[in-house]
Amino acid sequence: MEIIHVSAECYPVAKAGGLGDVVGALPKYQNMDGHIAKVVMPMYRTKFLYNNQWEVVHKGHITMGSWGLDYTVIREEANLLGFDLFLIDINGLLDREKVYGYDDDTERFTAFQIAVVDWISQWNHRPDIIHVHDHHTALIPFMVRHCYAYQHLQNVPTVLTIHNAQYQGWMGWEKSRYIPAWDTWKWGLLDWKNNINPLACGIKNAWKVTTVSWSYLEEMRQSANGLEALFEYERGKCIGILNGIDTEVWDPVSDSYIQHHYGLEKVQDGKKKNKELICEQFNLDINKPLFGFIGRLVGEKGADILPGVISDSFYHIGRTMNFLVLGSGFPEVEAQLNSMKSLAWGDYNVYIGYNETLSHLIYAGCDFLLMPSRVEPCGLNQMYSMRYGTVPVVRDTGGLRDTVIDVGDANGYGIRFTNATVGDVTHAIWRSVQLYQDPDTMFDIRQRMMQLDFSWETSMKQYIKLYEEVRGEK
Ligand code: ADP
């Protein structure tokens, strides 16, 4: 099968979060399984672009409203990622340093999608599946069905994967003129609550919709940032497929980002050496249990309660544990976390920013990984941490619920709590500190977690089965 993944992110080309990790791995595993999976994404100004060789495969022209835009499609020559990678260059619009966060993101991603469909519509053959990811690419299922110029792609099945339904790409109806001439009788397929809502449009128009865990799909019928009724209505075509992790990149035995490698037998020693490095670098105490947090410092991740959790833990449990936070996000949270450094010097530190190397060291060197997420569609951090023998301390939600069993339950290995509140998380930290004081159980849990199978094999096969089903419906 030939599968075209269309995405705003793809690791290691450009990554802002889990979407990048998934699109960097799933196509690779699909290719290993004998399919032809390709990735198309915008051409940003990233290191990966400048460090590699590219060939031009297509040049085209699109219109978006009253704008005429030239686009170029380039392909990475060496097949470094294990799949064909295509970048779409639209001068002045896509070629920025960051993936998101610009005032004209609507225009950028709409133009990107038009260019992708325009390019595919000019191929001599049709792909078997167009697989789009999140709202930045979710207008494509509508475009291939209802834009007059692309109607010969109407029978190509489209699959939308929702990695995060909080962001939906809303735009006012005045921007409907951006979409190439379309059947206006179908306006209802673009609309949600009097706006054009690309994510809702993707859910309505894609042949199948997947979310990145089962529990997240269930939760979205109750809470989906305004789309609850749509998830309820479309539930027949939605399914949850848990993300995998790229076990070639995320492996404590060979991880190129860490210095001290370890496998199952050497887990205690390996983790200790990595912890020593962290403690040296961040002035922490090697003898106390170390809690890490990695992620966007936003409400979704529960980052705003971290300062309260850290100070309450020191107050109620005592200075018996250490914390290290890595992330960036809301300026107020960043400022609060920074200002706490002087109050808890020696037991707490923070690195504000994005740092891939440090993230790997934290997974390897910490004893516990904190995830007080309010929303967690799948969550990759807990899977990485378990692979590195680090106990996840997670809120009972979304993908965290689907991947972490509490140590108090049969065959459990993690710590789960119910609410994203300072009290609940502090209690979970207290439980973790108790666990840490029992080295035999810690060792046993580490061994068990490291053997859990979160590889892409299983999830990739579920996607293939889904594609086969939709192709049968053609
Ligand atoms: P998200 O909702 O942000 O996509 P996921 O758990 O799906 O969350 O994926 C998060 C990914 O981003 C993980 O690979 C994690 O290690 C990485 N990550 C998040 N923040 C940072 C950071 N500040 N520095 C390095 N890596 C980060």
Side-chain angles (χ1 to χ4, degrees):
M1 244 184 291
E2 184 182 22
I3 307 136
I4 311 302
H5 290 274
V6 191
S7 170
E9 298 178 34
C10 174
Y11 175 83
V13 192
K15 163 177 162 183
L19 169 63
D21 284 341
V22 173
V23 179
L26 173 62
K28 181 166 85 179
Y29 287 90
Q30 289 177 332
N31 275 351
M32 288 181 194
D33 199 45
H35 302 282
I36 304 167
K38 304 175 176 179
V39 171
V40 193
M41 66 183 292
M43 190 199 87
Y44 310 109
R45 288 179 188 277
T46 62
K47 267 196 210 148
F48 191 91
L49 173 71
Y50 297 113
N51 292 345
N52 293 292
Q53 302 301 315
W54 305 86
E55 64 165 332
V56 174
V57 292
H58 181 77
K59 278 178 182 285
H61 183 84
I62 53 169
T63 51
M64 183 170 73
S66 52
W67 293 348
L69 297 166
D70 291 325
Y71 71 92
T72 306
V73 186
I74 57 176
R75 189 180 72 90
E76 192 270 313
E77 281 183 341
N79 202 282
L80 284 173
L81 307 186
F83 50 81
D84 268 337
L85 169 71
F86 298 94
L87 307 185
I88 305 260
D89 177 21
I90 303 181
N91 219 312
L93 211 53
L94 296 179
D95 53 347
R96 313 261 173 91
E97 276 169 22
K98 284 190 301 175
V99 177
Y100 316 112
Y102 300 99
D103 289 343
D104 57 354
D105 276 355
T106 299
E107 285 71 17
R108 297 173 70 225
F109 289 109
T110 308
F112 166 64
Q113 294 177 81
I114 301 171
V116 170
V117 178
D118 189 78
W119 173 49
I120 295 176
S121 76
Q122 293 179 45
W123 293 5
N124 294 328
H125 69 286
R126 289 180 205 159
D128 294 306
I129 297 282
I130 300 180
H131 189 153
V132 301
H133 298 264
D134 275 353
H135 76 81
H136 329 93
T137 58
L139 289 172
I140 289 178
F142 176 88
M143 287 188 198
V144 296
R145 275 189 156 171
H146 302 299
C147 289
Y148 297 118
Y150 310 129
Q151 283 193 330
H152 56 289
L153 295 176
Q154 234 173 16
N155 288 331
V156 178
T158 49
V159 173
L160 164 69
T161 293
I162 300 176
H163 300 257
N164 194 331
Q166 293 300 108
Y167 309 97
Q168 300 169 5
W170 312 268
M171 54 175 117
W173 264 101
E174 72 283 359
K175 297 199 173 170
S176 62
R177 66 197 155 84
Y178 288 168
I179 303 169
W182 51 282
D183 177 357
T184 47
W185 283 101
K186 300 291 188 301
W187 71 272
L189 293 175
L190 287 171
D191 184 80
W192 190 253
K193 300 186 178 166
N194 302 324
N195 277 307
I196 295 182
N197 182 319
L199 191 70
C201 169
I203 298 169
K204 293 179 191 186
N205 290 283
W207 295 33
K208 288 279 180 197
V209 176
T210 72
T211 60
V212 288
S213 69
W214 321 287
S215 291
Y216 187 53
L217 181 56
E218 287 302 312
E219 284 168 12
M220 280 204 290
R221 291 193 200 135
Q222 271 84 51
S223 166
N225 207 2
L227 299 185
E228 300 77 11
L230 184 60
F231 277 104
E232 182 62 40
Y233 183 74
E234 296 282 15
R235 64 176 187 273
K237 65 159 134 161
C238 297
I239 89 161
I241 301 181
L242 197 67
N243 285 337
I245 60 173
D246 191 336
T247 44
E248 287 177 5
V249 176
W250 298 93
D251 186 354
V253 175
S254 56
D255 186 327
S256 56
Y257 288 100
I258 60 173
Q259 285 176 31
H260 302 292
H261 295 121
Y262 58 94
L264 268 185
E265 300 76 36
K266 298 218 173 119
V267 54
Q268 303 290 75
D269 188 47
K271 287 192 72 66
K272 188 162 167 253
K273 285 188 176 140
N274 286 295
K275 186 173 174 183
E276 269 164 13
L277 280 185
I278 300 182
C279 291
E280 232 167 75
Q281 203 177 331
F282 290 96
N283 185 36
L284 297 169
D285 184 346
I286 181 83
N287 297 312
K288 296 180 184 170
L290 178 55
F291 290 79
F293 172 95
I294 302 172
R296 293 177 292 119
L297 300 177
V298 297
E300 251 185 302
K301 300 282 177 196
D304 49 307
I305 61 170
L306 284 176
V309 166
I310 295 165
S311 51
D312 267 32
S313 297
F314 287 147
Y315 183 76
H316 291 296
I317 312 170
R319 298 270 283 243
T320 52
M321 79 297 287
N322 280 184
F323 296 95
L324 177 61
V325 175
L326 162 65
S328 60
F330 285 151
E332 316 85 77
V333 180
E334 291 183 359
Q336 244 183 319
L337 287 167
N338 258 331
S339 66
M340 286 180 62
K341 279 202 273 194
S342 53
L343 299 175
W345 191 239
D347 286 325
Y348 159 78
N349 214 330
V350 58
Y351 180 105
I352 300 293
Y354 189 93
N355 187 325
E356 192 73 31
T357 307
L358 179 57
S359 74
H360 287 244
L361 183 61
I362 291 179
Y363 291 121
C366 281
D367 301 296
F368 298 94
L369 190 86
L370 267 184
M371 297 185 75
S373 308
R374 291 193 176 85
V375 185
E376 198 59 83
C378 174
L380 294 169
N381 299 18
Q382 81 280 13
M383 296 196 253
Y384 297 146
S385 83
M386 290 190 265
R387 185 145 170 84
Y388 285 71
T390 300
V391 180
V393 182
V394 304
R395 184 171 162 243
D396 188 359
T397 186
L400 300 176
R401 175 181 302 157
D402 294 347
T403 50
V404 179
I405 304 176
D406 190 274
V407 63
D409 295 334
N411 300 320
Y413 39 80
I415 305 255
R416 259 163 61 164
F417 52 90
T418 311
N419 299 303
T421 56
V422 171
D424 265 24
V425 186
T426 307
H427 181 253
I429 289 173
W430 176 78
R431 288 184 64 209
S432 313
V433 174
Q434 303 294 309
L435 178 64
Y436 185 79
Q437 283 160 3
D438 178 354
D440 291 343
T441 313
M442 273 302 272
F443 178 71
D444 188 47
I445 287 179
R446 280 179 172 155
Q447 296 263 323
R448 252 181 310 135
M449 289 190 305
M450 289 173 76
Q451 293 179 71
L452 294 172
D453 180 11
F454 292 117
S455 67
W456 267 107
E457 296 299 325
T458 321
S459 324
M460 179 271 291
K461 293 225 156 75
Q462 285 173 283
Y463 278 111
I464 299 293
K465 189 163 163 261
L466 182 78
Y467 301 154
E468 279 162 358
E469 267 169 44
V470 281
R471 291 189 68 219
E473 286 170 14
K474 258 207 268 195

